[in-house]
């Protein structure tokens, strides 16, 4: 293993510590399995030589001890009876081997699943604490691959890799020990050929390491492509991109196919080579063993040749399986590298605040705030803004002026470059992140709904919010009748991203979701594109209800909201260019707001 792989492997072992009990059981059954498997051929050798073919042979001290022990149990007075007992013992040994195999495999897989359950929980928790900037730069498909398929590959390190290798190595060691006890000369023949398969295994592992890296990269690319196209299927079909996107998919899929074919090629070469070497070993053992028996060598017997036929299979099968399992481990450790790469990213929002925000009066100040999404490209250029408690301000301006950026900064989705943002005379960094976000509710222009019921999309499974609370709030903002008109009312499943509802209906649900959370500060992006007149009226009523008696910041798209605002903030190119009431700003003949009003809002008046 490389230094990096050892590091990833050691990190994984940390997750095994809480499951030490299962770890000890796996080791116990691995040892049991190795010993019982190696003992069966020894029993068969003893049976053939002592009860089927009576031969006299010179044996070493250890073998004499075992044979003396067996003969003391089966004295040889009745060969047929003793033979039946030996067959029963071999059957019991086979049964114990099967039981050991079952418990070893089951507990190893159980342990692997427990480890990845803990790891997946930590990964998900870590990702959900990242700054929004991280998600701006990372494909969603890549994160899905890390959280699902890469984590599953890590499970195979424990269920099909590490413990299986330990078991196989133990089995090989014990098998070689029994082989030396049975006949050291035949063992020498077998061991003389082993370096060939060891060299082949080493070459195979190096080739497979490269192949597995390519496979994981192509799987991530494939997942990213499919996830993006499925999410944007409406755009694909609207612009007749089906054929073009299919060609792109074929290209990525072909790269994935080539990566896997390399994997298959190396397996197709290695395993036949391993089989050939194994069969050559058996042939040499039979040839030289038979030759020694014919020449009167009393150290060699028919029973030993039969036992060695089994021992060779037990020795070489683990070797080829170890190569295969090393590949599984390599794939798992490559996946672990990718997962730990995310776990070790320091992209978390710094939550060093100590002040618990139980309720805000709503006094907001932005003091010379500067911010950029991309280094040296400022989006906000020294913003100074003051919002009084209970005041509703409307922010207007062209696209890219920086309106939505102010919303993102108040919730600490991003960190400012310089300046200060305070709420109730406390820097927002002084508040604990959880309590800060609890007191600020946002209704975004692009409403996201989960594939769940309307009720759960409103409460987000917050048990503190009851159904009665939701219904009361819905009646106050005028959306109860709309919800009850749906087939199952509040239990209506809106499907993925709320596709069963219109854009206006989705926004009404978002208004209700914000209202039931009872925030101290409300932020609205009240876009009305593609919204029918009825939804427009409901949204207007909802806006008036939820902004009443609380500090509200509205990215305004409706004249009614702008006119009723306590103050209008006019932004352009990251700066506040004007502020005042509707009437005050209209008096500026060549003012930015006057031009904006004449071009966009005068139509609403007409």
């Amino acid at each position: 293993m490389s230094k990096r792989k050892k590091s990833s492997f050691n990190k994984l072992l940390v997750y095994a510590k809480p499951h030490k009990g299962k770890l000890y059981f796996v080791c116990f059954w691995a040892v049991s399995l190795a010993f019982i498997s190696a003992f069966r051929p020894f029993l068969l050798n003893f049976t053939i030589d002592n009860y089927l073919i009576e031969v006299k042979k010179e044996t070493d001290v250890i073998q004499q001890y075992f044979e003396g022990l067996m003969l003391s149990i089966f004295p040889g007075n009745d060969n047929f009876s003793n033979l039946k007992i030996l067959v029963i013992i071999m059957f019991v040994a086979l049964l114990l081997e099967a039981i050991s195999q079952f418990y070893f495999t089951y507990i190893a897989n159980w342990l692997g699943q427990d480890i990845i359950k803990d790891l997946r929980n930590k990964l998900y928790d870590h990702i959900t604490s990242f700054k929004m900037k991280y998600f701006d730069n990372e494909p969603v498909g890549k994160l899905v691959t890390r959280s699902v398929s890469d984590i599953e590959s890590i499970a195979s390190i424990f269920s099909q890799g590490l413990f299986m290798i330990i078991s196989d190595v133990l089995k090989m060691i014990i098998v070689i020990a029994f082989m030396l006890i049975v006949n050291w000369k035949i063992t020498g023949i077998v061991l003389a050929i082993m370096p060939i398969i060891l060299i082949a295994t080493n070459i195979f592992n190096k080739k497979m390491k490269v192949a597995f890296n390519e496979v994981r990269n192509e799987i991530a690319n494939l997942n990213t492509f499919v996830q993006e196209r499925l999410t944007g299927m409406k755009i694909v079909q609207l612009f007749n991109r089906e054929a073009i996107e299919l060609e792109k998919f074929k290209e990525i899929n072909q790269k994935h196919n080539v990566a896997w074919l390399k994997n298959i090629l190396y397996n197709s070469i290695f395993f036949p080579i391993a089989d050939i070497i194994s069969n050559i070993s058996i042939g040499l053992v039979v040839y030289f063993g038979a030759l020694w028996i014919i020449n009167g060598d009393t150290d060699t017997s028919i029973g030993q040749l039969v036992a060695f036929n089994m021992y060779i299979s037990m020795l070489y099968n683990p070797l080829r399986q170890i190569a295969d399992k090393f590949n599984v481990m390599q794939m798992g450790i490559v996946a672990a590298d990718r997962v730990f790469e995310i776990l070790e990213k320091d992209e978390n929002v710094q939550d060093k605040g100590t002040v618990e925000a139980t309720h805000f009066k709503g006094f907001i100040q932005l003091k010379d705030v500067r911010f950029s999404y991309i280094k040296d490209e400022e989006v906000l250029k020294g913003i100074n803004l003051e919002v009084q408690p209970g005041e509703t301000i409307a922010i207007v301006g062209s696209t890219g002026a920086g309106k939505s950026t102010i919303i993102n900064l108040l919730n600490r989705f991003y960190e400012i470059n310089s300046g200060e943002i305070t709420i109730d005379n406390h820097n927002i960094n002084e508040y604990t992140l959880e309590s800060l976000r609890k007191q600020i509710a946002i209704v975004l222009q692009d409403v996201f709904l989960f594939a769940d019921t309307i009720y759960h999309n409103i409460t987000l499974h917050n048990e503190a919010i009851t159904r009665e609370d939701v219904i009361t709030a819905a009646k106050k903002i005028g959306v109860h009748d709309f919800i009850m008109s749906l087939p199952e009312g509040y239990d209506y499943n809106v499907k993925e991203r709320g596709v069963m509802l219109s854009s206006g209906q989705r926004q009404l649900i978002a208004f209700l979701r914000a209202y039931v959370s009872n925030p101290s500060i409300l932020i609205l992006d009240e876009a009305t594109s593609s919204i029918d007149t009825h939804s427009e009226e409901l949204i207007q009523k909802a806006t008036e209800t939820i902004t009443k008696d609380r500090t509200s910041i509205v990215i305004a798209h409706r004249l009614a909201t702008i006119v009723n605002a306590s103050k209008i903030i006019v932004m352009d190119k990251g700066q506040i260019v004007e502020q005042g009431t509707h009437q005050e700003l209209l008096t500026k003949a060549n003012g930015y707001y006057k031009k904006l009003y004449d071009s966009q809002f005068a139509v609403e008046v007409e």
Side-chain angles (χ1 to χ4, degrees):
M1 289 185 189
S2 68
K3 185 177 180 181
R4 184 181 176 188
K5 290 195 172 186
K6 283 182 180 178
S7 176
S8 294
F9 184 71
N10 290 337
K11 291 170 191 172
L12 283 174
L13 290 180
V14 172
Y15 288 86
K17 285 183 179 178
H19 310 284
K20 285 183 179 177
K22 295 187 186 74
L23 190 61
Y24 295 147
F25 270 115
V26 169
C27 294
F28 169 77
W29 290 112
V31 173
S32 300
L33 180 61
F35 182 81
I36 296 169
S37 298
F39 187 63
R40 285 194 302 107
F42 184 84
L43 273 176
L44 184 62
N45 170 28
F46 177 80
T47 304
I48 291 172
D49 286 345
N50 289 280
Y51 295 98
L52 294 180
I53 303 171
E54 292 189 12
V55 294
K56 291 184 179 179
K57 59 183 189 309
E58 296 180 10
T59 57
D60 58 29
V61 175
I62 298 175
Q63 192 169 346
Q64 284 178 17
Y65 172 78
F66 275 104
E67 291 185 355
L69 179 64
M70 297 301 294
L71 287 171
S72 66
I73 301 172
F74 312 108
N77 295 329
D78 185 351
N79 281 3
F80 184 69
S81 298
N82 291 340
L83 181 62
K84 286 193 292 183
I85 295 171
L86 277 169
V87 169
I88 292 170
I89 291 175
M90 282 190 279
F91 175 77
V92 170
L94 188 63
L95 186 62
L96 289 174
E97 184 179 358
I99 292 170
S100 299
Q101 183 71 58
F102 167 76
Y103 280 110
F104 170 71
T105 305
Y106 180 76
I107 297 173
N109 278 273
W110 185 3
L111 177 60
Q113 289 301 317
D114 279 348
I115 289 169
I116 66 164
K117 178 191 70 176
D118 296 343
L119 188 59
R120 188 182 283 119
N121 286 340
K122 184 169 183 179
L123 179 65
Y124 179 81
D125 182 56
H126 190 62
I127 290 174
T128 55
S129 66
F130 280 174
K131 302 170 188 174
M132 287 297 112
K133 187 176 180 180
Y134 179 82
F135 299 103
D136 294 340
N137 299 321
E138 289 292 335
V140 174
K142 175 183 173 182
L143 295 176
V144 171
T145 302
R146 300 293 177 268
S147 303
V148 182
S149 60
D150 280 342
I151 291 284
E152 286 300 328
S153 295
I154 291 172
S156 64
I157 291 177
F158 297 95
S159 59
Q160 301 171 41
L162 175 64
F163 297 126
M164 295 296 179
I165 290 173
I166 291 172
S167 175
D168 287 342
V169 169
L170 274 172
K171 187 183 291 185
M172 289 169 61
I173 291 170
I174 294 174
V175 162
I176 290 172
F178 270 94
M179 287 167 62
L180 288 168
I181 290 170
V182 172
N183 191 308
W184 66 269
K185 289 192 294 185
I186 299 178
T187 304
I189 295 172
V190 177
L191 295 181
I193 299 173
M194 276 191 71
I196 301 173
I197 197 167
L198 290 173
I199 293 168
T201 301
N202 186 47
I203 295 170
F204 177 63
N205 284 336
K206 288 179 180 178
K207 294 291 184 182
M208 289 302 291
K209 172 187 170 184
V210 177
F212 280 138
N213 270 312
E214 289 182 18
V215 168
R216 298 313 304 173
N217 286 331
E218 295 307 327
I219 288 174
N221 292 337
L222 202 60
N223 284 346
T224 299
F225 184 90
V226 172
Q227 189 273 333
E228 287 182 347
R229 270 56 184 184
L230 290 178
T231 302
M233 186 55 67
K234 186 180 290 185
I235 300 299
V236 172
Q237 295 182 355
L238 184 64
F239 289 92
N240 296 313
R241 298 275 303 176
E242 294 93 335
I244 296 171
E245 296 300 333
L246 176 60
E247 290 305 313
K248 288 184 178 179
F249 178 79
K250 284 181 178 179
E251 184 180 340
I252 296 172
N253 199 26
Q254 176 63 22
K255 289 179 180 177
H256 176 260
N257 179 259
V258 170
W260 266 113
L261 283 175
K262 273 188 186 178
N263 185 305
I264 294 166
L265 174 64
Y266 297 144
N267 278 285
S268 301
I269 293 171
F270 173 75
F271 289 113
I273 289 174
D275 287 338
I276 289 169
I277 295 171
S278 174
N279 289 324
I280 287 173
S281 296
I282 292 172
L284 289 174
V285 165
V286 170
Y287 174 77
F288 284 104
L291 194 62
W292 290 335
I293 291 171
I294 291 170
N295 291 330
D297 184 354
T298 56
D299 290 336
T300 309
S301 67
I302 300 295
Q304 290 176 354
L305 296 185
V306 174
F308 266 86
N309 190 42
M310 295 176 67
Y311 279 136
I312 289 170
S313 296
M314 294 173 69
L315 189 63
Y316 282 107
N317 281 343
L319 258 181
R320 56 178 295 209
Q321 287 171 11
I322 283 174
D324 194 31
K325 290 175 177 67
F326 262 119
N327 295 333
V328 171
M329 279 195 68
Q330 280 185 338
M331 182 173 278
I333 292 173
V334 167
D337 287 342
R338 298 173 185 275
V339 170
F340 283 116
E341 182 185 351
I342 294 177
L343 280 171
E344 290 165 3
K345 280 189 181 294
D346 187 18
E347 296 289 344
N348 301 62
V349 179
Q350 295 300 311
D351 187 10
K352 297 180 180 178
T354 56
V355 179
E356 286 291 329
T358 55
H359 181 75
F360 288 141
K361 293 177 182 177
F363 179 48
I364 303 171
Q365 287 181 299
L366 280 73
K367 303 172 185 177
D368 195 27
V369 172
R370 294 181 178 274
F371 173 77
S372 56
Y373 293 102
I374 302 171
K375 190 177 181 181
D376 299 327
E377 295 183 20
E378 282 192 335
V379 178
L380 297 183
K381 304 170 183 178
I383 296 293
N384 290 285
L385 177 63
E386 194 171 284
V387 185
Q388 297 298 324
E391 189 176 37
T392 297
I393 69 164
I395 304 178
V396 297
S398 59
T399 302
K403 305 184 298 295
S404 297
T405 300
I406 292 176
I407 290 175
N408 290 329
L409 296 181
L410 276 173
N411 264 281
R412 294 193 62 200
F413 292 141
Y414 300 87
E415 301 292 351
I416 62 176
N417 296 351
S418 63
E420 185 180 31
I421 301 175
T422 66
I423 299 177
D424 293 350
N425 296 314
H426 282 282
N427 189 304
I428 57 173
N429 294 329
E430 295 176 12
Y431 294 109
T432 62
L433 194 61
E434 183 180 0
S435 68
L436 172 71
R437 290 179 177 172
K438 274 185 178 179
Q439 295 304 315
I440 302 175
I442 300 182
V443 178
L444 296 172
Q445 177 180 343
D446 183 18
V447 177
F448 186 93
L449 298 181
F450 295 95
D452 206 335
T453 64
I454 285 180
Y455 173 70
H456 286 142
N457 267 291
I458 293 166
T459 64
L460 297 178
H461 295 273
N462 184 348
E463 295 179 359
I465 302 173
T466 65
R467 187 175 287 261
E468 289 71 25
D469 293 334
V470 172
I471 293 171
T472 301
K475 288 178 179 177
K476 281 184 179 178
I477 67 173
V479 299
H480 176 71
D481 292 339
F482 139 64
I483 294 174
M484 292 307 296
S485 69
L486 297 172
E488 298 172 70
Y490 287 89
D491 294 317
Y492 181 63
N493 193 310
V494 299
K495 305 302 180 183
E496 188 174 1
R497 299 182 69 88
V499 294
M500 303 304 290
L501 303 178
S502 69
S503 56
Q505 290 171 331
R506 289 197 295 271
Q507 196 168 45
L508 287 169
I509 297 302
F511 271 86
L512 184 53
R513 179 161 64 192
Y515 189 52
V516 297
S517 67
N518 193 28
S520 303
I521 297 171
L522 185 68
I523 299 173
L524 303 179
D525 188 346
E526 52 154 22
T528 57
S529 58
S530 304
I531 292 179
D532 59 84
T533 305
H534 179 62
S535 294
E536 173 84 21
E537 292 171 356
L538 289 174
I539 287 171
Q540 186 59 44
K541 180 182 178 182
T543 302
E544 293 171 0
T545 303
I546 68 176
T547 57
K548 187 178 179 181
D549 300 326
R550 58 166 54 92
T551 303
S552 304
I553 300 174
V554 183
I555 297 178
H557 301 267
R558 303 180 188 83
L559 181 59
T561 305
I562 297 170
V563 170
N564 294 328
S566 308
K567 182 167 53 180
I568 300 168
I569 308 298
V570 185
M571 294 189 67
D572 183 42
K573 297 178 182 178
Q575 295 178 312
I576 295 176
V577 292
E578 294 174 352
Q579 56 181 307
T581 64
H582 173 67
Q583 293 301 328
E584 288 170 352
L585 294 174
L586 282 180
T587 60
K588 299 180 181 181
N590 295 317
Y592 191 97
Y593 179 76
K594 179 68 167 60
K595 293 177 183 177
L596 191 66
Y597 174 82
D598 291 339
S599 63
Q600 292 186 26
F601 301 122
V603 178
E604 290 188 44
V605 176
E606 294 175 6

